[in-house]
Short mmCIF file of all heavy atoms in Angstrom, two decimals:
data_model
loop_
_atom_site.label_atom_id
_atom_site.label_comp_id
_atom_site.label_asym_id
_atom_site.label_seq_id
_atom_site.Cartn_x
_atom_site.Cartn_y
_atom_site.Cartn_z
N PRO C 212 6.67 61.22 -4.19
CA PRO C 212 6.54 61.19 -2.74
C PRO C 212 6.85 59.73 -2.32
O PRO C 212 6.39 58.79 -2.99
CB PRO C 212 5.11 61.57 -2.44
CG PRO C 212 4.68 62.30 -3.70
CD PRO C 212 5.47 61.80 -4.86
N PRO C 213 7.45 59.58 -1.15
CA PRO C 213 7.86 58.25 -0.77
C PRO C 213 6.77 57.28 -0.60
O PRO C 213 6.89 56.12 -0.93
CB PRO C 213 8.60 58.45 0.65
CG PRO C 213 8.76 59.95 0.76
CD PRO C 213 7.87 60.71 -0.26
N ASP C 214 5.62 57.74 -0.11
CA ASP C 214 4.52 56.73 0.11
C ASP C 214 3.96 56.29 -1.23
O ASP C 214 3.56 55.16 -1.37
CB ASP C 214 3.45 57.34 1.06
CG ASP C 214 2.70 58.48 0.39
OD1 ASP C 214 3.41 59.29 -0.32
OD2 ASP C 214 1.47 58.60 0.50
N LEU C 215 3.91 57.14 -2.24
CA LEU C 215 3.49 56.67 -3.52
C LEU C 215 4.46 55.77 -4.15
O LEU C 215 4.09 54.71 -4.74
CB LEU C 215 3.26 57.88 -4.48
CG LEU C 215 2.01 58.80 -4.31
CD1 LEU C 215 1.90 59.83 -5.35
CD2 LEU C 215 0.76 57.84 -4.36
N PHE C 216 5.73 56.00 -3.93
CA PHE C 216 6.77 55.15 -4.46
C PHE C 216 6.61 53.78 -3.79
O PHE C 216 6.77 52.72 -4.44
CB PHE C 216 8.17 55.74 -4.21
CG PHE C 216 9.27 54.96 -4.84
CD1 PHE C 216 9.59 55.16 -6.22
CD2 PHE C 216 9.99 54.03 -4.16
CE1 PHE C 216 10.58 54.45 -6.83
CE2 PHE C 216 10.97 53.30 -4.77
CZ PHE C 216 11.31 53.48 -6.09
N PHE C 217 6.38 53.79 -2.47
CA PHE C 217 6.24 52.52 -1.80
C PHE C 217 5.00 51.76 -2.30
O PHE C 217 5.05 50.51 -2.53
CB PHE C 217 6.12 52.71 -0.27
CG PHE C 217 5.82 51.51 0.46
CD1 PHE C 217 6.87 50.62 0.83
CD2 PHE C 217 4.54 51.09 0.88
CE1 PHE C 217 6.69 49.44 1.47
CE2 PHE C 217 4.34 49.87 1.54
CZ PHE C 217 5.41 49.08 1.89
N GLN C 218 3.91 52.45 -2.43
CA GLN C 218 2.67 51.81 -2.94
C GLN C 218 2.89 51.20 -4.32
O GLN C 218 2.38 50.06 -4.63
CB GLN C 218 1.52 52.74 -2.95
CG GLN C 218 0.97 53.04 -1.56
CD GLN C 218 -0.23 54.03 -1.67
OE1 GLN C 218 -1.19 53.84 -2.37
NE2 GLN C 218 -0.12 55.10 -0.95
N LEU C 219 3.58 51.98 -5.16
CA LEU C 219 3.88 51.43 -6.46
C LEU C 219 4.76 50.22 -6.46
O LEU C 219 4.52 49.21 -7.13
CB LEU C 219 4.55 52.54 -7.34
CG LEU C 219 4.90 52.18 -8.79
CD1 LEU C 219 3.62 51.80 -9.58
CD2 LEU C 219 5.59 53.39 -9.48
N THR C 220 5.77 50.25 -5.55
CA THR C 220 6.61 49.11 -5.41
C THR C 220 5.82 47.90 -4.95
O THR C 220 5.97 46.79 -5.42
CB THR C 220 7.69 49.38 -4.32
OG1 THR C 220 8.43 50.54 -4.74
CG2 THR C 220 8.69 48.26 -4.17
N LEU C 221 4.92 48.14 -4.00
CA LEU C 221 4.11 47.04 -3.42
C LEU C 221 3.23 46.36 -4.49
O LEU C 221 3.24 45.13 -4.67
CB LEU C 221 3.21 47.55 -2.26
CG LEU C 221 2.30 46.52 -1.68
CD1 LEU C 221 3.07 45.33 -1.07
CD2 LEU C 221 1.44 47.18 -0.58
N ILE C 222 2.52 47.23 -5.24
CA ILE C 222 1.63 46.59 -6.24
C ILE C 222 2.42 45.89 -7.32
O ILE C 222 2.04 44.78 -7.74
CB ILE C 222 0.65 47.63 -6.79
CG1 ILE C 222 -0.30 47.05 -7.82
CG2 ILE C 222 1.36 48.81 -7.46
CD1 ILE C 222 -1.24 46.02 -7.21
N LEU C 223 3.57 46.46 -7.71
CA LEU C 223 4.38 45.76 -8.68
C LEU C 223 4.94 44.45 -8.15
O LEU C 223 4.98 43.46 -8.84
CB LEU C 223 5.47 46.72 -9.13
CG LEU C 223 5.09 47.87 -9.97
CD1 LEU C 223 6.28 48.75 -10.31
CD2 LEU C 223 4.43 47.49 -11.27
N ALA C 224 5.22 44.48 -6.84
CA ALA C 224 5.74 43.23 -6.19
C ALA C 224 4.68 42.14 -6.20
O ALA C 224 4.87 40.95 -6.51
CB ALA C 224 6.22 43.50 -4.78
N GLU C 225 3.40 42.51 -5.94
CA GLU C 225 2.32 41.57 -5.89
C GLU C 225 2.12 41.00 -7.27
O GLU C 225 1.91 39.76 -7.40
CB GLU C 225 1.03 42.27 -5.43
CG GLU C 225 1.17 42.84 -4.07
CD GLU C 225 -0.14 42.72 -3.26
OE1 GLU C 225 -0.85 41.75 -3.46
OE2 GLU C 225 -0.41 43.59 -2.39
N ILE C 226 2.16 41.88 -8.29
CA ILE C 226 2.03 41.41 -9.66
C ILE C 226 3.19 40.43 -9.98
O ILE C 226 2.97 39.35 -10.58
CB ILE C 226 2.01 42.57 -10.60
CG1 ILE C 226 0.71 43.39 -10.39
CG2 ILE C 226 2.02 42.07 -12.06
CD1 ILE C 226 0.67 44.74 -11.15
N ARG C 227 4.40 40.83 -9.60
CA ARG C 227 5.53 40.00 -9.87
C ARG C 227 5.41 38.58 -9.21
O ARG C 227 5.81 37.61 -9.76
CB ARG C 227 6.81 40.70 -9.31
CG ARG C 227 8.10 39.96 -9.74
CD ARG C 227 8.41 40.17 -11.20
NE ARG C 227 9.51 39.34 -11.67
CZ ARG C 227 9.38 38.09 -11.97
NH1 ARG C 227 8.17 37.53 -11.99
NH2 ARG C 227 10.36 37.39 -12.45
N LEU C 228 4.79 38.57 -8.04
CA LEU C 228 4.66 37.33 -7.30
C LEU C 228 3.64 36.38 -7.94
O LEU C 228 3.52 35.25 -7.59
CB LEU C 228 4.30 37.56 -5.87
CG LEU C 228 5.46 37.36 -4.88
CD1 LEU C 228 6.66 38.30 -5.19
CD2 LEU C 228 5.02 37.64 -3.48
N HIS C 229 2.84 36.95 -8.83
CA HIS C 229 1.94 36.09 -9.64
C HIS C 229 2.68 35.60 -10.85
O HIS C 229 2.04 35.12 -11.79
CB HIS C 229 0.70 36.83 -10.04
CG HIS C 229 -0.31 36.95 -8.88
ND1 HIS C 229 -0.24 37.94 -7.95
CD2 HIS C 229 -1.33 36.17 -8.46
CE1 HIS C 229 -1.25 37.80 -7.11
NE2 HIS C 229 -1.86 36.74 -7.36
N ALA C 230 4.00 35.73 -10.78
CA ALA C 230 4.86 35.14 -11.87
C ALA C 230 4.58 35.81 -13.24
O ALA C 230 4.85 35.17 -14.24
CB ALA C 230 4.64 33.62 -11.93
#
Side-chain angles (χ1 to χ4, degrees):
Chain C
D214 66 320
L215 282 184
F216 187 83
F217 176 80
Q218 284 180 55
L219 181 58
T220 304
L221 177 60
I222 180 67
L223 291 176
E225 301 215 32
I226 294 171
R227 188 72 191 83
L228 257 59
H229 283 86

